[in-house]
Amino acid sequence: MGSTRPAGLPLDPAGLPGPAPERFFAPSAEEEARRAVGADGADTRRREYQAAEERFTERAAYWFRVTTRTGPDAMADAFRQLIQGPGDPAAVRVVRPTAASRGRREAVIR
């Protein structure tokens, strides 16, 4: 089971089938994986992820209206629209913190 906070909710595995759940803290697991593959491996993974993300975004445009914006204002606008309520299910916003962050930790908000 993953968590975005180190002290997440208590884990109660009673009644769950299969192997016993194991709690992990997502940012720590990401950092551990990055160290395991080294700097070159992390760069290779980032490029592969970026290429896959670009293919997905291009293909999504066949079914959705995809817009891409960068910068803090774009992120704030997308968040405001998200919390205001239901949006257009055919619209997809790809939001990146900066233009330099292309392919890195972007948020896709529908």
Side-chain angles (χ1 to χ4, degrees), residues 56-62 64-68 90-94:
F56 174 80
T57 303
E58 288 171 12
R59 291 175 183 159
Y62 288 107
F64 303 102
R65 287 186 315 280
V66 178
T67 58
T68 303
V92 175
R93 292 177 196 85
V94 178

Side-chain angles (χ1 to χ4, degrees), residues 3-41:
S3 176
T4 57
R5 297 188 178 142
L9 297 173
L11 179 62
D12 180 13
L16 293 177
E22 180 181 326
R23 181 171 299 283
F24 69 91
F25 179 52
S28 298
E30 181 181 341
E31 181 58 34
E32 184 179 318
R34 191 176 301 118
R35 280 194 304 268
V37 298
D40 290 340

Side-chain angles (χ1 to χ4, degrees), residues 1 3 12 18 24 29 42 45 47 51 69 74 77 89 95 105-107:
M1 295 179 66
S3 176
D12 180 13
F24 69 91
R45 279 189 176 171
R47 284 191 302 275
R69 292 184 54 208
D77 289 346
V95 182
R105 294 182 184 248
E106 68 184 15

Side-chain angles (χ1 to χ4, degrees), residues 46-89:
R46 191 175 6 265
R47 284 191 302 275
E48 289 170 352
Y49 181 86
Q50 181 178 352
E53 189 175 76
E54 290 297 324
R55 285 191 307 273
F56 174 80
T57 303
E58 288 171 12
R59 291 175 183 159
Y62 288 107
W63 299 283
F64 303 102
R65 287 186 315 280
V66 178
T67 58
T68 303
R69 292 184 54 208
T70 59
D73 290 339
M75 295 182 85
D77 289 346
F79 183 72
R80 276 195 284 292
Q81 291 173 357
L82 179 67
I83 62 174
Q84 285 177 355
D88 181 355

